[in-house]
Amino acid sequence: MIRPTLLICSLLLSQSASAEEVQLAVAANFTAPMQKIAAEFEKDSGHKAKLMFGATGKFYAQITNGAPFEVFLSADDETPARLERDGLAVAGSRFTYATGRLVLWSAREGYVDDKGEVLKKGDFRHLSIANPRTAPYGAAALQTLSKLGLLPALEPRFVQGENIAQTQSFIVSGNAELGFIALSQIFRDGKPGAGSAWLVPANLHEPIRQDAVLLAKGQSNPAAAALLKYLKGDKARSIIKSFGYEL
């Protein structure tokens, strides 16, 4: 007869032996939800997710130059598709894990009105946006300003962040009075948090479809496949929605 303590130890050793680590490149806008998802994934699967956050365009350059990432969570759908065409991602593994929303945000209460009229008034010195060449939320910000007819007037006031996280830090620090960031960066408990914000209408920019893809370096790692499957599950989807993303 096997003693319960021996059985438990045996199960723990078995789980430890089969546990793997997966290295992820994650778009900066998805930092907070992915940290929560990774913690739940580790508890539920025994696998560990090693996370790196940054700009989508910079991750593309790193992956094409041999970076050891096994899963990529992009801020757009084009970059993962491009990696598939390059032969650096596994064909058929790509899917949309979230659709992002763009907001104009200020750390100051009452500074940004709920229609974005503050942009037309122009009563500010600096406007923070993410680098549109490497960050899809930055590209969406440019599209928005262009549609509003405000790009020529406001472009000289840009304070440009390398990614959406740095863009927000410029606003928090006061280097810019306001700026365009991801809703997920300020969305808590079903509503935007501190400061003031205008939720940019979706028709002012192209949809921010964020795709995940299994990279070639991760195709033989069971933890990579498990992580992508976990992202499609109810627990992960609930976390994603709690940060203001659409599914």
Side-chain angles (χ1 to χ4, degrees):
M1 181 177 180
I2 300 175
R3 294 179 182 178
T5 52
L6 291 176
L7 180 60
I8 292 170
C9 288
S10 176
L11 290 171
L12 288 173
L13 287 171
S14 174
Q15 184 183 46
S16 176
S18 61
E20 302 283 350
E21 181 177 273
V22 54
Q23 297 197 55
L24 282 81
V26 183
N29 74 85
F30 205 62
T31 297
M34 192 60 221
Q35 287 172 334
K36 291 189 70 171
I37 291 169
E40 294 299 317
F41 172 68
E42 185 170 350
K43 284 194 296 185
D44 293 342
S45 71
H47 298 306
K48 184 174 180 60
K50 188 175 180 181
L51 310 175
M52 182 71 72
F53 301 101
T56 289
K58 288 203 168 185
F59 277 137
Y60 174 79
Q62 291 171 10
I63 292 165
T64 57
N65 282 292
F69 299 121
E70 297 168 296
V71 169
F72 181 32
L73 272 60
S74 178
D76 66 359
D77 54 359
E78 174 53 32
T79 305
R82 189 177 173 189
L83 288 167
E84 278 190 353
R85 294 194 296 270
D86 294 341
L88 295 171
V90 177
S93 66
R94 178 166 51 94
F95 65 94
T96 300
Y97 65 90
T99 298
R101 294 299 305 272
L102 183 71
V103 293
L104 178 69
W105 180 72
S106 174
R108 304 179 189 178
E109 295 286 346
Y111 191 81
V112 175
D113 61 283
D114 61 6
K115 294 184 179 179
E117 293 295 322
V118 63
L119 290 171
K120 297 176 182 177
K121 294 175 183 176
D123 187 24
F124 54 88
R125 293 180 60 198
H126 297 114
L127 176 68
S128 184
I129 73 162
N131 185 342
R133 294 188 298 276
T134 58
Y137 281 83
L142 285 192
Q143 291 167 10
T144 296
L145 291 173
S146 182
K147 278 243 181 129
L148 293 173
L150 299 172
L151 184 57
L154 296 183
E155 195 166 13
R157 307 187 198 185
F158 286 175
V159 176
Q160 188 169 281
E162 287 192 5
N163 54 54
I164 206 71
Q166 188 178 55
T167 302
Q168 184 182 24
S169 73
F170 287 150
I171 305 168
V172 172
S173 67
N175 287 311
E177 294 95 326
L178 70 171
F180 288 98
I181 62 172
L183 175 62
S184 60
Q185 292 172 277
I186 59 168
F187 200 78
R188 299 293 183 274
D189 302 320
K191 60 182 180 180
S196 52
W198 170 52
L199 182 61
V200 177
N203 63 357
L204 290 181
H205 59 79
E206 294 178 6
I208 308 173
R209 296 190 184 94
Q210 303 191 192
D211 278 10
V213 70
L214 177 64
L215 298 173
K217 289 182 182 293
Q219 58 187 332
S220 61
N221 183 353
L227 186 282
L228 288 170
K229 182 178 180 181
Y230 196 83
L231 269 178
K232 299 177 182 179
D234 290 342
K235 186 178 286 189
R237 287 169 63 86
S238 177
I239 293 171
I240 293 168
K241 287 180 70 176
S242 75
F243 282 87
Y245 290 97
E246 297 176 353
L247 296 174

